[in-house]
């Protein structure tokens, strides 16, 4: 049984007037810490031993003798042998005693089992803990079912390898690195067989994952990840904000496309099947006439998420899209939390967020602003689950 928000909200009673903004040290933690500092809130990064230096050393807050911040933005770091240890009952107690609210990122939802997040992690989470699971493609109810209910265009599902009659992408996890992808493309059943055999042979994918893979139409067009924010603290008509847009650099895909065609063709066949490991991000804006459709998608998603899993979206979410030649977005992935590409706007803010808020507004800062406002108005309970 998932923990009901009614069970979490009373925990806030013992909290200080301004909670401490906690997050897991990977993915988007710097943006979250930086945003907290910008809004005058203390922050705490939960790190894993061996992966803590970025936070503990390089971005750590250093203060002058009089206490003013001299450098850095990560105020406090707690290090665990494994990320998942942060959810142990004694550690939950420690987080509550510190007055921490946890901002969930992909590192949190990947490394702490979702059953624990939903069923036994009794620390207030800023956002919906129940929506994190929609990212899992193996779930019966996932982001595809939500998009369908919202009437948002998503790539058409292809029922099986034999039905591949156009360019398709096959989505399954990497066999050895479970957080990475073992994606490949195919235009026919024969190409599916040829490539999947190669990848099985290399050990990149496993037969079980292949059998359960999602096969879908390949949406041709550049990728735009729309980073939205939804506030339940204001009237519904003002709730949706578009903060910014990012794209990613994927290895080996981006490496391959930087090679001239004849060099690509000279590669051994296995090396011609690119992997889609995200290694970085860039920032984008979108043609202005497309914006209205982008907002329509955001509004529909907010409504559908609220209807499917109340209280729905509370805070940041990302719709990952390809834009076709008519500028129409197809949503191929969704994150009901802070996106992975928001560091591109760190401190400088997002182009659209800045235009809206008349100053630097990154996703991390927007989250902290929401926490600060909700605290000041005694409404923190409305943005946590
Ligand atoms: N239907 C699709 N059409 C075209 N490209 C896609 C499609 N689905 C995924 N991709 C490509 O694969 C990348 C990763 O896909 P995504 O669904 O976001 O996987 P993950 O859940 O692992 O983040 C995207 O950034 C995009 O480049
Ligand atoms: Mg994605």
């Amino acid at each position: 049984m998932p923990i009901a928000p009614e069970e979490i909200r009373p925990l806030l009673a013992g909290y200080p007037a301004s909670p401490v903004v906690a997050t897991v040290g990977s993915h988007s933690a710097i943006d979250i810490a930086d945003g907290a500092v910008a809004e005058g809130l203390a922050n705490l990064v939960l790190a894993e031993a061996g992966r803590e230096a970025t936070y503990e050393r390089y971005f750590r807050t250093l203060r002058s003798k009089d206490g003013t911040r001299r450098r850095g933005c990560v105020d406090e770091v707690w290090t665990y042998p494994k990320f998942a240890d942060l959810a142990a009952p004694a550690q939950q107690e420690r987080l509550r005693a510190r007055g921490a609210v946890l901002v969930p990122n992909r590192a949190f939802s990947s490394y702490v089992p979702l059953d624990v997040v939903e069923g036994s992690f009794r620390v207030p989470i800023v956002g919906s803990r129940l929506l994190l699971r929609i990212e899992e493609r193996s779930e019966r109810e996932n982001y595809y079912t939500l998009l369908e209910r919202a009437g948002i265009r998503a790539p058409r599902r292809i029922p099986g390898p034999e039905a591949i009659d156009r360019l398709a992408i096959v989505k399954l996890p990497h066999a050895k690195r479970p957080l990475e992808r073992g994606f490949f493309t195919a235009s026919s059943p024969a190409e599916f067989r040829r490539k999947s055999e190669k990848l099985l042979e290399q050990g990149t994918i496993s037969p079980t994952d292949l059998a359960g893979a999602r096969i879908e139409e390949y949406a041709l067009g550049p990728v735009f990840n729309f980073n939205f924010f939804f506030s339940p603290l204001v009237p519904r008509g003002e709730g949706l904000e578009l903060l910014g847009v990012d794209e990613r650099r994927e290895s080996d895909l981006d490496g391959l496309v930087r090679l001239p065609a004849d060099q690509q063709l000279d590669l051994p066949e296995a090396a011609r099947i690119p992997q889609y490991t995200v290694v970085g991000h860039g920032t984008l804006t979108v043609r202005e006439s497309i914006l209205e459709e982008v907002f329509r998608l955001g509004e529909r998603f907010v409504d559908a998420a609220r209807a499917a899993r109340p209280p729905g979206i509370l805070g940041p979410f990302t719709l990952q899209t390809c834009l076709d030649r008519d500028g129409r977005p197809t949503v191929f992935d969704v994150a009901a939390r802070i996106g992975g590409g928001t560091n591109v706007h760190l401190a400088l803010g997002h182009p659209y967020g800045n235009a809206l808020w008349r100053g630097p507004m990154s996703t991390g800062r927007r989250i902290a602003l929401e926490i600060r406002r909700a605290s000041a108005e005694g409404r923190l309970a409305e943005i946590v689950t």
Side-chain angles (χ1 to χ4, degrees):
M1 267 300 276
I3 311 172
E6 295 71 50
E7 215 181 312
I8 292 295
R9 290 168 178 166
L11 301 175
L12 294 170
Y15 270 47
S18 285
V20 174
V21 180
T23 197
V24 173
S26 191
H27 191 265
S28 48
I30 299 174
D31 185 23
I32 294 165
D34 174 76
V37 171
E39 289 299 318
L41 297 175
N43 69 75
L44 161 63
V45 167
L46 311 176
E48 183 171 283
R51 299 178 58 172
E52 77 277 42
T54 302
Y55 313 97
E56 179 68 53
R57 180 172 173 197
Y58 296 107
F59 285 93
R60 185 64 183 264
T61 299
L62 300 179
R63 294 187 185 275
S64 317
K65 281 207 184 70
D66 65 1
T68 53
R69 186 182 304 273
R70 183 162 63 76
R71 199 181 101 164
C73 61
V74 175
D75 294 338
E76 212 175 323
V77 180
W78 294 359
T79 304
Y80 304 87
K82 286 279 160 221
F83 281 123
D85 299 330
L86 68 91
Q91 297 304 324
Q92 294 182 27
E93 175 53 40
R94 190 176 166 214
L95 283 162
R96 289 192 299 263
R98 184 71 188 83
V101 291
L102 188 118
V103 177
N105 56 16
R106 185 60 181 156
F108 176 68
S109 62
S110 301
Y111 295 118
V112 179
L114 288 175
D115 288 337
V116 172
V117 172
E118 292 172 352
S120 58
F121 187 66
R122 287 183 167 74
V123 174
I125 287 181
V126 182
S128 168
R129 66 176 76 214
L130 296 178
L131 283 169
L132 296 173
R133 198 182 280 279
I134 65 166
E135 286 183 48
E136 307 304 317
R137 295 192 184 94
S138 51
E139 295 285 326
R140 210 160 46 82
E141 291 270 309
N142 54 21
Y143 70 88
Y144 291 112
T145 52
L146 209 52
L147 290 172
E148 194 177 330
R149 251 177 278 162
I152 293 175
R153 229 151 66 100
R156 192 174 62 89
R157 190 176 88 85
I158 297 173
E162 294 313 313
I164 298 176
D165 59 351
R166 63 194 70 196
L167 184 59
I169 183 163
V170 184
K171 296 183 161 185
L172 68 166
H174 193 285
K176 291 174 192 144
R177 289 174 286 154
L179 299 181
E180 294 299 343
R181 304 171 186 87
F183 291 9
F184 63 97
T185 57
S187 294
S188 64
E191 188 182 350
F192 177 95
R193 276 191 297 276
R194 192 163 46 76
K195 283 190 173 167
S196 58
E197 275 162 23
K198 274 259 144 37
L199 292 168
L200 285 165
E201 212 173 278
Q202 289 170 19
T204 304
I205 60 173
S206 80
T208 329
D209 289 332
L210 186 62
R214 155 99 185 180
I215 308 175
E216 67 186 31
E217 196 170 343
Y218 190 92
L220 201 62
V223 171
F224 286 73
N225 296 328
F226 293 102
N227 299 304
F228 289 101
F229 192 93
F230 179 75
S231 173
L233 300 177
V234 295
R236 175 68 184 84
E238 291 170 30
L240 184 69
E241 303 165 23
L242 175 66
L243 294 178
V245 188
D246 67 81
E247 61 171 341
R248 11 171 99 190
R249 296 287 181 275
E250 279 157 337
S251 189
D252 335 300
L253 186 62
D254 284 287
L256 278 173
V257 298
R258 296 183 71 231
L259 287 175
D262 55 346
Q263 283 182 35
Q264 293 180 4
L265 294 172
D266 280 341
L267 289 171
E269 205 192 343
R272 280 190 242 156
I273 309 177
Q275 291 198 19
Y276 293 75
T277 307
V278 177
V279 289
H281 306 90
T283 184
L284 291 171
T285 56
V286 72
R287 187 169 149 172
E288 210 162 301
S289 58
I290 296 173
L291 274 175
E292 227 170 279
E293 174 63 6
V294 169
F295 278 111
R296 260 196 296 277
L297 299 186
E299 298 286 6
R300 284 198 204 136
F301 188 77
V302 164
D303 288 338
R306 183 182 294 182
R309 297 191 192 187
I313 296 280
L314 310 170
F317 68 102
T318 296
L319 298 181
Q320 300 169 34
T321 74
C322 289
L323 295 186
D324 70 13
R325 57 173 72 154
D326 299 315
R328 281 187 312 175
T330 297
V331 178
F332 62 80
D333 196 12
V334 170
R337 48 159 173 83
I338 185 168
T342 64
N343 276 2
V344 289
H345 310 291
L346 243 176
L348 282 175
H350 290 283
Y352 298 117
N354 296 359
L356 191 62
W357 288 97
R358 314 307 315 145
M361 188 55 74
S362 62
T363 299
R365 182 166 191 177
R366 185 63 189 83
I367 294 168
L369 173 64
E370 191 79 346
I371 296 171
R372 191 167 63 69
R373 286 190 160 178
S375 305
E377 295 173 19
R379 301 174 69 187
L380 199 52
E382 292 172 49
I383 62 166
V384 305
T385 58

